[in-house]
Amino acid sequence: MLDIRRIRQDPEEVERLLAKKHVVVDLNQVNILDQRRRDVLGEIERFKAERNKSSELVAAKKKRGEDATEIIEKTRIVGEQIKQLEASLAPLDEELRLFLLTVPNTPLPEVPDGVSADDNVEIHRVGLVPQFHFEPLPHWDLGERLGIFDFERARKITGARFTVLKGMGAQLSRALINYMLDHARARNYLEVAPPYMVNYDSMVGTGQFPKFMDDAFGVTPHNYFLIPTAEVPLTNLHRGEILSADLLPIRYTAYTASFRAEAGAAGRDTRGLIRQHQFDKVELVRIVEPGDSAHAMEEMLRDAETILEELEIPYRTVLLCGADMGFGQAKTYDIEVWMPSYGRYVEISSVSNMTDFQARRAEIRYRPKGAKKTELVHTLNGSALAVGRTMAALVENYQTMSGHVRIPDVLKSYMSGVEEI
RNA sequence: GGAGGGGUAGCGUAAUUGGUAACGCAGCGGUCUUGAAAACCGCCGCCCUAAAGGCUUGCAGGUUCGAGUCCUGUCCCCUCCGCCA
């Protein structure tokens, strides 16, 4: 959520920034609404001040045993006017709130212009793309042959875009999760095991709701929602809290399953592990003072990249252009792994600075040392990494001529010494 | 799911028959001190550029001139019962 004061002060500037994300909003309308709301509110407060004064007078008179019926009658009429004005304020409040909840975050100045993912700016490439002396198989074919992925039966027991992992497949997934969690823990993230379902307010807090309800799986009839990423429970841990400054910065990591309806992705990436309704992910979240978020973001990027370097899987990092960025992000790096079956790099992690966008929605504040007033924190998140896509990349990049998959050195201790699947 | 009890500032507590939310601890700033402690003074929920003012007793309503207090709904916590991995 953007600060209404910012929209009030310089709507053209905010509109200009949002245009970079290719979002068009009429903030003039918002300001008209905001002005009306504040006018009504001011009127209500004047009436309330009058009522408070009169009520005190009633109390004083009654205490002295005097008659107060005249003042009571007068005050009753003031009360009715308050009630009427409040009834006209409620829809204004609601309209303004709903509107503000659907305005995206503004991008930071260094975010490049662009109209599509093709305009993302490559930061660097690491690792050599493997050259095969045989026809490499896509991970879905190889995985089925090896008996570690079972897409057919997943379709039977649940539906499309689900996978059953078996034997070494299940073991490899668990090994990756443990390795990634240890990697995060070594970098001072506190390991958390949160619920996989959250309530409506949490989904609003991180920015999924109310705009993107179609992308979520709801748990009916309980009004809970399956998390699309651990970012939701982790960031909402501190919803509605005022943190003491010495608690910051906060670093959390969590392994969870993630659930996405993938509305609008029909027909895309239908094969393999790339786009699933349920996938495993190790997530990183940081909560920092506003001045620290830019630096924290660079560190988080390294926290994710070093995993691929240790796994020895080739990747590249891109800085997303305005058009390719998400709703709440002020700046985003994507890490993409080399995927032989796609013949290109495929997103495996997204590291984002949300600035104060989520903090304002979720009301996460802190009190700077020595300051009287509270301030909003900055929140950041990043995948480290998406487990399914990592496994797909690993299977494809590490496949051998004989149709097996070598286990990267760093994972061997997590695979009870297994060298090859 | 049923019955009973409870929810007040970071923590712990208070508030006559309904009369407009108080105190302690912790924290922050200051005085004093070589420094610290102690003591003393101020701040110590939120909104508003500020003041005036308004809001705030889990949340949402209702009754009333006025609600922490009375009524209705709802969420959460505790105890017991039931069910259950």
Side-chain angles (χ1 to χ4, degrees):
Chain A
M1 196 157 69
L2 299 183
D3 190 350
I4 182 70
R5 283 171 293 200
R6 218 176 127 203
I7 295 174
R8 225 179 262 156
Q9 251 170 5
D10 198 348
E12 287 82 14
E13 170 69 3
V14 176
E15 281 178 7
R16 195 183 62 75
L17 288 169
L18 288 176
K20 207 171 186 179
K21 278 192 169 182
H22 296 257
V23 171
V24 180
V25 284
D26 186 359
L27 294 179
N28 190 39
Q29 284 303 112
V30 181
N31 280 337
I32 291 170
L33 185 63
D34 174 53
Q35 189 57 53
R36 266 168 62 207
R37 182 187 159 272
R38 290 200 299 157
D39 288 345
V40 175
L41 192 63
E43 209 174 338
I44 287 174
E45 291 195 356
R46 279 194 295 279
F47 275 118
K48 279 190 172 174
E50 189 181 335
R51 184 183 65 184
N52 288 345
K53 230 170 247 163
S54 298
S55 287
E56 264 175 69
L57 206 59
V58 171
K61 276 189 178 257
K62 287 206 167 178
K63 209 170 220 169
R64 290 195 300 261
E66 297 173 13
D67 176 59
T69 47
E70 198 178 319
I71 299 178
I72 288 177
E73 177 56 21
K74 234 178 70 186
T75 313
R76 199 181 53 74
I77 292 164
V78 173
E80 278 168 14
Q81 283 168 307
I82 291 171
K83 204 172 265 186
Q84 270 180 29
L85 284 168
E86 280 184 336
S88 69
L89 180 69
L92 293 176
D93 266 341
E94 186 59 14
E95 200 181 332
L96 189 64
R97 197 186 68 89
L98 266 178
F99 188 90
L100 286 176
L101 284 177
T102 56
V103 178
N105 198 4
T106 52
L108 291 172
E110 64 267 34
V111 169
D113 285 313
V115 294
S116 78
D118 295 336
D119 299 314
N120 295 339
V121 174
E122 184 172 298
I123 304 293
H124 53 233
R125 288 182 190 219
V126 176
L128 291 172
V129 169
Q131 301 298 315
F132 295 100
H133 307 295
F134 55 94
E135 192 59 38
L137 291 173
H139 67 275
W140 52 89
D141 284 342
L142 185 52
E144 279 189 325
R145 270 190 216 187
L146 290 169
I148 59 175
F149 306 152
D150 190 340
F151 301 103
E152 192 59 41
R153 291 198 176 88
R155 238 183 320 275
K156 174 172 67 183
I157 62 174
T158 305
R161 293 198 193 280
F162 287 88
T163 307
V164 172
L165 303 177
K166 296 192 293 198
M168 295 294 241
Q171 223 174 302
L172 178 59
S173 171
R174 182 157 55 86
L176 282 168
I177 292 163
N178 281 331
Y179 157 64
M180 289 174 187
L181 283 173
D182 286 349
H183 183 268
R185 207 150 39 86
R187 288 167 172 260
N188 292 318
Y189 290 83
L190 180 72
E191 185 175 338
V192 175
Y196 291 7
M197 297 178 209
V198 294
N199 56 33
Y200 187 93
D201 288 345
S202 290
M203 292 291 267
V204 171
T206 30
Q208 283 74 25
F209 287 1
K211 200 166 181 182
F212 304 105
M213 286 200 67
D214 288 351
D215 292 330
F217 284 109
V219 183
T220 49
H222 299 286
N223 257 335
Y224 292 146
F225 302 89
L226 293 176
I227 55 173
T229 158
E231 167 198 344
V232 177
L234 289 181
T235 306
N236 277 283
L237 280 176
H238 295 291
R239 173 153 52 83
E241 295 185 10
I242 297 171
L243 304 165
S244 81
D246 49 345
L247 267 174
L248 300 178
I250 291 172
R251 302 181 185 194
Y252 290 132
T253 185
Y255 151 73
T256 69
S258 300
F259 304 88
R260 298 186 184 175
E262 294 294 346
R268 276 171 58 199
D269 309 310
T270 50
R271 309 203 64 183
L273 299 172
I274 302 304
R275 195 172 297 276
Q276 299 276 292
H277 286 313
Q278 175 187 323
F279 60 96
D280 291 315
K281 184 158 60 66
V282 172
E283 183 76 2
L284 307 176
V285 162
R286 292 204 196 189
I287 301 176
V288 304
E289 299 190 34
D292 295 341
S293 68
H295 178 244
M297 183 178 191
E298 299 302 320
E299 284 185 355
M300 282 181 84
L301 179 64
R302 288 303 295 155
D303 293 337
E305 286 177 340
T306 44
I307 294 175
L308 291 170
E309 287 166 24
E310 289 182 11
L311 287 173
E312 298 182 76
I313 296 175
Y315 72 91
R316 67 166 196 161
T317 299
V318 295
L319 173 60
L320 296 196
C321 73
D324 203 28
M325 286 173 69
F327 176 70
Q329 284 85 327
K331 180 180 177 181
T332 300
Y333 290 117
D334 271 7
I335 302 171
E336 303 176 337
V337 281
W338 178 254
M339 200 69 76
S341 60
Y342 278 57
R344 61 172 169 86
Y345 289 92
V346 172
E347 178 189 345
I348 199 168
S349 170
S350 223
V351 176
S352 299
N353 186 352
M354 315 300 279
T355 59
D356 62 7
F357 187 81
Q358 293 179 324
R360 186 170 291 106
R361 290 175 160 249
E363 295 181 90
I364 308 172
R365 287 162 293 181
Y366 80 109
R367 200 179 302 279
K369 269 268 174 266
K372 199 178 158 206
K373 276 190 75 71
T374 58
E375 264 182 55
L376 295 169
V377 298
H378 278 195
T379 58
L380 303 99
N381 60 75
S383 11
L385 303 164
V387 176
R389 289 186 180 185
T390 304
M391 191 154 58
L394 195 158
V395 164
E396 293 194 9
N397 284 284
Y398 274 83
Q399 62 183 298
T400 64
M401 195 171 343
S402 58
H404 290 86
V405 176
R406 288 188 299 111
I407 302 299
D409 287 340
V410 72
L411 277 188
K412 282 177 183 163
S413 62
Y414 290 91
M415 287 288 286
S416 16
V418 172
E419 304 260 330
E420 195 179 79
I421 297 175

